[in-house]
Amino acid sequence: MQLSITDIITEHEQEELLQGLRIYNSQFISFSRVASDIAVYARDENGKMRGGLIGNRQGEWLNIKYLWVSDEIRGNGLGGQLMQVAEDEARKQGCRHALVDTFSFQARPFYEKQGYQVTMTLEDFPYEGIQRHYLSKAL
């Protein structure tokens, strides 16, 4: 067996690895209803994006990957609206839970205000003095 190390991940090699992983995981997970994307965008009257949320459904979970609100309108409730719309859509798609992660310098209090609870914290990630918080919520 030959091992190789690289800092260049080709699409072909990634797909080859993921295919093997999917075959193994299919013993335990039905991939027919595992994943779909969910996105909610907020644009002003000129069409400029002022905020948005991108997530995906993984089984019965909504995984919120990205949430952003423009500095100019942050604090006016748009973030909560984006979350609510995404959660409502996730419920329609059969989700029973939601997951989000955030760094200590980001939005933990915001997510807690939305009803999320910290389930795990990684200390010194990605650097010393910074934490990465994982929060979840029952939908």
Side-chain angles (χ1 to χ4, degrees):
M1 177 121 1
Q2 178 185 352
L3 300 178
S4 62
I5 187 167
T6 182
D7 60 354
I8 299 170
I9 301 167
T10 68
E11 190 173 323
H12 171 76
E13 289 170 317
Q14 179 172 308
E15 186 54 38
E16 189 176 12
L17 185 146
L18 291 176
Q19 183 61 29
L21 186 58
R22 284 185 202 108
I23 290 169
Y24 174 78
N25 289 345
S26 67
Q27 301 171 79
F28 309 99
I29 298 173
S30 169
F31 285 99
S32 63
R33 51 180 292 251
V34 170
S36 64
D37 292 329
I38 296 175
V40 183
Y41 304 119
R43 297 183 184 278
D44 65 18
E45 58 280 351
N46 298 317
K48 182 178 180 182
M49 187 177 292
R50 307 300 284 170
L53 180 151
I54 294 176
N56 64 349
R57 181 178 59 83
Q58 296 180 352
E60 295 179 342
W61 284 79
L62 167 62
N63 179 25
I64 299 166
K65 295 166 57 174
Y66 308 107
L67 174 65
W68 167 75
V69 174
S70 171
D71 287 342
E72 296 86 16
I73 58 173
R74 192 168 291 152
N76 290 329
L78 180 59
Q81 287 178 296
L82 292 167
M83 296 284 292
Q84 187 62 55
V85 169
E87 290 171 3
D88 290 346
E89 180 59 26
R91 277 187 205 91
K92 289 178 192 173
Q93 293 187 26
C95 290
R96 297 178 39 210
H97 312 276
L99 169 70
V100 67
D101 68 272
T102 188
F103 291 106
S104 52
F105 58 85
Q106 289 178 324
R108 177 180 169 179
F110 166 78
Y111 292 119
E112 290 174 328
K113 184 178 174 185
Q114 308 307 311
Y116 287 74
Q117 296 180 335
V118 174
T119 56
M120 184 178 80
T121 297
L122 294 176
E123 298 293 335
D124 298 325
F125 184 91
Y127 302 106
E128 187 173 342
I130 297 175
Q131 298 82 40
R132 186 170 186 176
H133 305 291
Y134 291 83
L135 300 95
S136 65
K137 173 183 178 178
L139 296 178

